[in-house]
Amino acid sequence: MSIMMIREDSAAAGHTEVKADKPLYHRRRILICCGATVCTTIAVILILVIVSLTLFKAKQPTLHVDSVLLSRFSAGLNSNSLLPTIEIVFDLNASVYNPNRASFQYTNSTTYGLYHGSVVAEAPIPAGKISARGTETISTQVSVKADRLLANPNLLTDFNSQFIPISTTTVLTGRVTILGFIKRHAKSTSRCDMVISVSNQTIQNYQCSNKLKL
Ligand SMILES: *[C@@H]1O[C@H](CO)[C@@H](O)[C@H](O)[C@H]1NC(C)=O
Ligand SMILES: *[C@@H]1O[C@H](CO)[C@@H](O)[C@H](O)[C@H]1NC(C)=O
Ligand SMILES: *[C@@H]1O[C@H](CO)[C@@H](O)[C@H](O)[C@H]1NC(C)=O
């Protein structure tokens, strides 16, 4: 009687075990499947990230100032108020080369005009896009704010010496989109130093570099 009971118990236990095992086995297969998919996905993402970090590393675009032209220059005294007036406007043309195998998209930017370290002009550069390994020309007109220039204590000395030093800085910031979805930040900068000769109203010499030092 006791043997029978044990047999029945084991049989019953075995029966229920088999019953419970079937969906468990299925679940295990699904789990293994899911795990493999997740692992493969992670591996693919890792490979893409490594490839994008090494092979597709974003190179910084180069900004080269092609020309600076003094389009307006006047200085004198207002005949009515007898207050000094000054007008300085120059046109800046630059070319930006994108060395990447992907397009470079830059946001709205500004060219700043500096006089003895103070900002005296702001010229907008509208947002744009430069195709892969392409060059784009950007031109902007920089109008020096007379009040800011006249407020600078160095102006009288510079005016007497007939040479007004002006610097410009341009920073283009944007991103390079690699493989259509990997976005990398990229920046292009340029600084130009020039001297305006008051006597013949020309830009004496300008020197530009791609390294920005403020
Ligand atoms: C700057 O570029 C504009 C248009 O791209 C052109 O009309 C102008 O002559 C250029 N200026 C200089 C100084 O090269
Ligand atoms: C960029 O400038 C243009 C025109 O000046 C303006 O319409 C646009 O909203 C600006 N974009 C951003 C993101 O500020
Ligand atoms: C303008 O004047 C400066 C000296 O003030 C001189 O060095 C330069 O050659 C002159 N440029 C022209 C185009 O006359």
Side-chain angles (χ1 to χ4, degrees), residues 67 69 93 139:
S67 65
L69 206 76
N93 278 17
S139 50

Side-chain angles (χ1 to χ4, degrees), residues 163 197 199-200 202 204:
F163 293 106
S197 169
S199 60
N200 55 19
T202 56
Q204 271 325 295

Side-chain angles (χ1 to χ4, degrees), residues 158-180:
D158 286 340
F159 213 86
N160 283 336
S161 74
Q162 301 281 289
F163 293 106
I164 300 172
I166 297 275
S167 302
T168 64
T169 63
T170 306
V171 182
L172 290 186
T173 53
R175 62 180 187 221
V176 174
T177 308
I178 297 154
L179 296 176

